Amino acid sequence: MTKAFLSVMLLMTLVRCGKDPLAFAIEPIPVGYDRAEVLDADAIDIDNDGDSDLVAATAADLRYLEFSEGRYSEMTAGTGLAKVSAVETMHRDGNDYIVKRGNELSRLEYSGIGTWRESEDAVENFNPEPMLEARADFDLDGQIDRAQIINNTLLVELAHGDTWIDVTSRVAVDGLMLPKPGRRIRAADLEGDGDMDLIVVGGRLFRLINNGGKFAQR
């Protein structure tokens, strides 16, 4: 039997253990009145309130979006990010960020009280995390699944032993079409509910909220 046939057969054995099947709700996050081109983003809970705020790198600047009462609001003022020149990518290192401009790397140091400043020290021994793939246990079965950006689309695969099962349409993310080729995908518990969500960047910024559904082998 071919690998493709086996994958189809395995997918047919995946059923929901509960009320609703695993699915992600796609929500665009406006940045700069939804006119800013977003290059990178990260989810971070520096105020320890249980849900994640966002740091977004646009083509022009860095912005901080605070989540409160079900929506994100611009709260860059007071974080120090407005003083930082625009960057192309940003990689988490604890609560610091290693940022890149062309071939130059720099560190944004976190103060511990909600602000960042750019360090003058050289960045050494830096290994950037993958930008187009995120791995996490999306269906809470104890196995690490993966989500990948391929050009302007998203692929979600659940781990089944040593096999990957394409569930992109089953988890309702096949409708996500990025306005520009994808630049970043990250897995994070955005709502503090124990479910691993996704943030995706490709010209605009999106969050994909996991409904907590599970799949299990029959």
Side-chain angles (χ1 to χ4, degrees), residues 33 123 213:
Y33 301 101
V123 174

Side-chain angles (χ1 to χ4, degrees), residues 84-100:
V84 179
S85 300
V87 305
E88 297 167 17
T89 62
M90 40 188 285
H91 304 271
R92 279 283 292 276
D93 185 13
N95 284 332
D96 292 353
Y97 286 102
I98 306 298
V99 297
K100 184 176 181 182

Side-chain angles (χ1 to χ4, degrees), residues 42 44 90-99 106-112 115-117 119:
D42 186 40
I44 187 169
M90 40 188 285
H91 304 271
R92 279 283 292 276
D93 185 13
N95 284 332
D96 292 353
Y97 286 102
I98 306 298
V99 297
S106 181
R107 177 181 294 275
L108 301 186
E109 294 180 336
Y110 181 62
S111 65
T115 63
W116 287 267
R117 61 176 293 274
S119 171

Side-chain angles (χ1 to χ4, degrees), residues 15-177:
V15 296
R16 168 65 175 142
C17 291
K19 182 178 179 181
D20 298 315
L22 174 66
F24 290 87
I26 301 170
E27 301 178 12
I29 306 299
V31 180
Y33 301 101
D34 214 19
R35 291 195 296 265
E37 180 186 0
V38 183
L39 304 181
D40 206 348
D42 186 40
I44 187 169
D45 182 17
I46 59 172
D47 52 8
N48 296 312
D49 64 354
D51 50 43
S52 294
D53 304 322
L54 299 173
V55 179
T58 79
D61 54 21
L62 286 166
R63 301 182 181 226
Y64 191 86
L65 307 175
E66 183 179 77
F67 187 77
S68 179
E69 298 181 355
R71 63 188 296 269
Y72 288 95
S73 301
E74 176 83 32
M75 296 293 287
T76 306
T79 65
L81 294 175
K83 300 178 181 179
V84 179
S85 300
V87 305
E88 297 167 17
T89 62
M90 40 188 285
H91 304 271
R92 279 283 292 276
D93 185 13
N95 284 332
D96 292 353
Y97 286 102
I98 306 298
V99 297
K100 184 176 181 182
R101 303 180 186 95
N103 294 321
E104 299 296 322
L105 297 175
S106 181
R107 177 181 294 275
L108 301 186
E109 294 180 336
Y110 181 62
S111 65
I113 55 172
T115 63
W116 287 267
R117 61 176 293 274
E118 189 159 5
S119 171
E120 296 180 357
D121 297 335
V123 174
E124 299 178 352
N125 302 318
F126 172 60
N127 294 310
E129 72 263 27
M131 294 186 64
L132 300 181
E133 178 177 298
R135 298 201 177 202
D137 185 2
F138 298 126
D139 58 350
L140 300 178
D141 68 348
Q143 299 188 78
I144 300 301
D145 311 305
R146 69 183 180 187
Q148 301 177 77
I149 297 176
I150 302 175
N151 297 321
N152 298 64
T153 64
L154 184 61
L155 171 69
V156 176
E157 296 172 300
L158 299 185
H160 185 87
D162 59 357
T163 302
W164 295 105
I165 308 302
D166 182 350
V167 296
T168 304
S169 61
R170 292 279 299 272
V171 299
V173 300
D174 52 329
L176 176 63
M177 293 296 295

